[in-house]
Amino acid sequence: MRLYERKDIEKVIRLDTELIDRIETAFTSLVEKETTMPPIMRVDVPDHNGEVDIKSAYIKGEDSFAVKLSSGFFNNPALGLPSANGMMILLNSQTGEPLAVLADEGWLTDLRTAAAGAVAAKYGSRKDSRIAGILGTGAQARLQLQALMLVRPIEHVFVYGRSPEKTLQYKQEMEQKLGINLIVCDSVEQVVGKSDLVVTTTPSKEPLIYGDWVRPGLHITAMGSDAEHKRELEASVLERADVIVCDVKAQSARLGELRTSPNQLDRAIELGEVTSGKRSFRQADEDITICDLTGTGVQDTAIARHVYHQLLVREGVTDERRKV
């Protein structure tokens, strides 16, 4: 069994179109292949504003699959630590033998989540979307914007964060890194009103976006709600949407935005149905579209298999030995 730390992993993987394609294929596999993906197991640590999720998925015919443990402790920034952490274990599908421990400190989860956001925007937003809105200023706010720029011609960005200092830091960092113009807004409503597509990246427990702010043509990717106590969209936002897509309906109904709008569940469709071509997402420029992402085990298996292969290639392992 191999052990890889984050510094090893960062040498072989980055947020690019190849990774986005692999995550898109993972969603398609939920529809086109026999996949075993159990419900998420979560351990809450309320004393320290923390949670730990365990996710996994086995795709029939693949020679390996991942079991992922990820933590989110939201008081950590005050301690000088990142909120997210975690690791993945890759197992041999035939024998159950552990092949590798990917001690990525949550990096692979961050990357696959951003890639899923890119897939959502690719199918849900207008192709000419040039103005992005970002709610939040953490790691996902950074990666989601980078991912958007790989699938849409983003030229301007509006951002809102609770901390003026962190929001200014985010603006300066992303302008320097991406070479685009970011404008700090005084409210969430301003971001929504000025943007072609909006990505919510917060652990909010109360709605951030309200239905009367939403206008025709807008796309929203909501990826912050992945637990029963989280919420970023007011129910009327879903009611106004022409199309609602989520990663997995049962999971969104339990942990995501659909939890507070059960009457919208029947008309919601899954992202894998879209990526497989079985259903369509945006059908007209004036459509209001929403994608609710709660994070799936199949994404974890996809990125773990991908990075393990890349690590073996870097080590010079032959093709035959890579067949595990």
Side-chain angles (χ1 to χ4, degrees):
M1 182 178 67
R2 290 171 162 82
L3 170 63
Y4 299 102
E5 297 180 350
R6 177 166 174 160
K7 59 182 174 59
D8 306 311
I9 294 168
E10 287 180 335
K11 293 175 182 177
V12 299
I13 191 170
R14 60 194 179 99
L15 184 56
D16 56 17
T17 54
E18 180 183 7
L19 179 59
I20 292 171
D21 289 343
R22 287 184 178 272
I23 297 302
E24 180 173 337
T25 299
F27 284 118
T28 300
S29 70
L30 288 174
V31 174
E32 294 189 340
K33 296 184 178 181
E34 186 176 334
T35 303
T36 301
M37 189 170 70
I40 299 170
M41 174 183 173
R42 190 178 79 252
V43 179
D44 290 318
V45 188
D47 291 350
H48 301 288
N49 194 20
E51 62 190 39
V52 178
D53 290 340
I54 299 173
K55 300 180 181 180
S56 184
Y58 164 65
I59 304 171
K60 185 175 181 180
E62 302 290 3
D63 55 22
S64 58
F65 67 99
V67 177
K68 191 271 295 288
L69 181 154
S70 67
S71 62
F73 279 65
F74 301 107
N75 293 341
N76 279 4
L79 304 174
L81 299 171
S83 296
N85 211 315
M87 61 189 297
M88 298 186 183
I89 300 175
L90 193 69
L91 303 172
N92 185 303
S93 295
Q94 182 176 356
T95 66
E97 174 191 9
L99 301 172
V101 174
L102 304 174
D104 63 305
E105 301 175 9
W107 177 237
L108 294 178
T109 296
D110 284 345
L111 289 179
R112 63 80 150 149
T113 303
V119 175
K122 174 183 173 181
Y123 287 94
S125 66
R126 302 194 316 270
K127 292 182 179 180
D128 63 349
S129 296
R130 287 177 164 78
I131 304 174
I134 304 293
L135 302 185
T137 58
Q140 271 307 305
R142 288 163 165 78
L143 290 170
Q144 288 286 340
L145 179 54
Q146 295 176 55
L148 281 180
M149 295 188 66
L150 294 173
V151 296
R152 288 293 180 261
I154 302 300
E155 296 175 353
H156 302 284
V157 181
F158 292 94
V159 59
Y160 173 81
R162 291 178 300 173
S163 165
E165 293 79 13
K166 291 181 179 179
T167 306
L168 179 59
Q169 182 182 3
Y170 175 85
K171 166 185 165 67
Q172 294 171 340
E173 179 183 328
M174 302 311 289
E175 284 183 336
Q176 181 178 5
K177 185 169 187 175
L178 302 177
I180 58 174
N181 180 45
L182 272 77
I183 299 173
V184 175
C185 292
D186 296 326
S187 68
V188 173
E189 184 176 2
Q190 287 183 2
V191 174
V192 175
K194 294 175 179 294
S195 303
D196 297 323
L197 65 155
V198 174
V199 184
T200 63
T201 70
T202 78
S204 178
K205 298 177 182 179
E206 301 292 336
L208 299 175
I209 299 178
Y210 292 83
D212 55 1
W213 301 350
V214 176
R215 69 187 192 283
L218 180 68
H219 170 76
I220 299 173
T221 297
M223 50 75 55
S225 179
D226 57 1
E228 290 90 345
H229 61 282
K230 296 181 182 179
R231 185 181 184 189
E232 294 179 304
L233 307 181
E234 201 262 341
S236 63
V237 176
L238 295 169
E239 293 169 1
R240 289 203 60 195
D242 295 287
V243 185
I244 301 171
V245 171
C246 57
D247 40 23
V248 177
K249 288 178 71 170
Q251 191 167 292
S252 181
R254 183 167 70 95
L255 305 173
E257 299 295 341
L258 284 170
R259 183 187 76 256
T260 57
S261 300
N263 57 322
Q264 304 298 322
L265 186 61
D266 287 344
R267 72 184 184 102
I269 61 179
E270 295 188 347
L271 191 52
E273 297 178 275
V274 175
T275 60
S276 66
K278 297 181 182 298
R279 304 284 295 272
S280 52
F281 200 160
R282 175 168 293 276
Q283 301 175 36
D285 284 349
E286 63 271 17
D287 282 352
I288 297 171
T289 56
I290 293 175
C291 188
D292 180 26
L293 299 177
T294 53
T296 65
V298 74
Q299 295 167 249
D300 297 316
T301 284
I303 197 169
R305 284 173 46 79
H306 174 54
V307 75
Y308 181 62
H309 174 83
Q310 296 301 112
L311 287 162
L312 294 184
V313 169
R314 183 179 177 84
E315 294 174 359
V317 177
T318 64
D319 288 341
E320 190 61 34
R321 287 179 60 196
R322 288 202 298 270
K323 296 177 180 178
V324 291

